Amino acid sequence: MTELTGGPSLPQERRVVTAIPGPKSLELQARRTAVVAAGVGSTLPVFTTRAGGGVIEDVDGNSLIDFGSGIAVTSVGNSAEAVVRRATAQLADFTHTCFMVTPYEGYVAVCEQLAELTPGDHAKKSALFNSGAEAVENAVKIARAHTKRQAVVVFDHGYHGRTNLTMALTAKNMPYKHGFGPFAPEVYRVPVAYGYRWPTGPENCGPEAAAQAIDQITKQVGADNVAAIVIEPVLGEGGFIEPAKGFLPRIAQFAKDNGIVFVADEIQSGFCRTGQWFACEDEGVVPDLITTAKGIAGGLPLAAVTGRAEIMDAAHPGGLGGTYGGNPVACAAALGAIETMRELDLNAKAKRIEEVMKGRLTAMQEKFPVIGDIRGRGAMIAIELVKDPATKEPDAASAAALAKACHAEGLLVLTCGTYGNVLRFLPPLVIGEDLLNEGLDIIEAAFAGL
Ligand code: PLZ
């Protein structure tokens, strides 16, 4: 096997030797601007050469601390040993047959792992796809085939992708939907339990928001027209909103009582990210269908819909698929990623990251009132920034300024949130504690310099 030049063998250190981005990145950025469509953005245009553990190296020789994991993908670290080993072996054997033409074992093995790891002990089946959006679209197709109904219910602040149906399911206009309509019909949006911004306070939020959502579904859509309710158990792009306690179980029960397929979109929150295999386990919610992607395959494109066998089998033979869905190399990578999660007990690592981060961020909040809220679980942690803790007026400018200051110091952080005022932290679960603390030092210094 080829020797690893990146991955876990990379020196685990921050190193800033040029301005960020440096001169070579700027040159590449000029080439990029000439030929890459302007609609495709980049958070930080430093061009990557290698990455692994908790760092990303760029063409100018800088080594950045990674608090992004390529948007919650490289949970096992970049080029993790088992991912590279299994994917490399698969590359040498065959790269593609199309599972719909001649099948292979890797696809089946991934579906076996999904049946074992996802919540609930009922009989489960899966179908594999290439992207998160594709998985969500297929979950809706399956739910419609099963229920013979059409309506889909989604939530304020929800994010489910950029394809036509998933744009309709996504809440935020800019940048995801603006000018790209018309959108798919039969999509209905209802309130979510956003504790920090709930008018009567976080204690009342779960039951009150559930009652409002259910009232809107019953009165405006009609429960027996609803095929699926689709929700992220921790809302990702919308601002790392953990629905207030009681909300998810209540909505899941309502779905069950009304023959509606309850779909948990765990594309961002799944696979150890929140310190559990899946975030919905936190309140013991067992979804009918669960969509996964991102962390599942250590950086290779793979996504899945997993769920109750009788629902998954509702689509007629030939009704689900795609040329590349469950590509053999991506499946091999997924088996390597899952092996790594088990062997390194990455749920425990995620919980430790939460402990360190929340401890440090809580101390910062006492000094910097711009931090309105600290939330999230495991290695999916965010802070919501406000102009004044009393009014909670969103402060997107501070989020942008802080991200910029962190980037200049060699710490990659991402923003999110409907109001653009949330800084989110998604380190690889294998990051060392020294780097984690160094990253938090940089964040603290950035607050001091605001
Ligand atoms: N569902 C919950 O988080 C992807 C989007 C980044 P794809 N989130 C990152 C961007 O700006 O495009 C996501 C998600 C949840 C679905 C998706 C979609 O997954 O693999 O990007 O299609």
Side-chain angles (χ1 to χ4, degrees), residues 71 131-133 136 159-162 176 232 237 265 267-268 294:
I71 322 188
S131 69
V136 174
Y159 181 90
H160 302 287
R162 293 175 182 264
Y176 307 121
E232 303 157 81
E237 303 304 306
D265 180 349
I267 286 164
Q268 188 155 167
K294 291 188 184 276

Side-chain angles (χ1 to χ4, degrees), residues 172-252:
K172 192 175 173 178
N173 175 50
M174 231 5 186
Y176 307 121
K177 305 167 72 164
H178 192 73
F180 298 148
F183 304 111
E186 287 305 316
V187 173
Y188 301 89
R189 189 171 311 285
V190 298
V192 76
Y194 190 169
Y196 178 63
R197 293 191 176 276
W198 196 254
T200 57
E203 325 70 51
N204 305 315
C205 178
E208 284 183 15
Q212 283 188 15
I214 289 168
D215 188 59
Q216 289 189 13
I217 297 168
T218 349
K219 300 296 187 308
Q220 297 179 18
V221 194
D224 51 9
N225 292 317
V226 180
I229 296 177
V230 184
I231 188 163
E232 303 157 81
V234 177
L235 286 82
E237 303 304 306
F240 283 20
I241 301 162
E242 293 174 85
K245 292 283 173 252
F247 183 79
L248 286 176
R250 182 71 196 93
I251 298 292

Side-chain angles (χ1 to χ4, degrees), residues 13 16 41 51 59 68 76 86 99-100 161 183 244 447:
E13 62 179 21
V16 179
V59 285
V76 296
R86 287 183 183 249
F99 193 76
M100 300 184 306
F183 304 111
F447 272 111

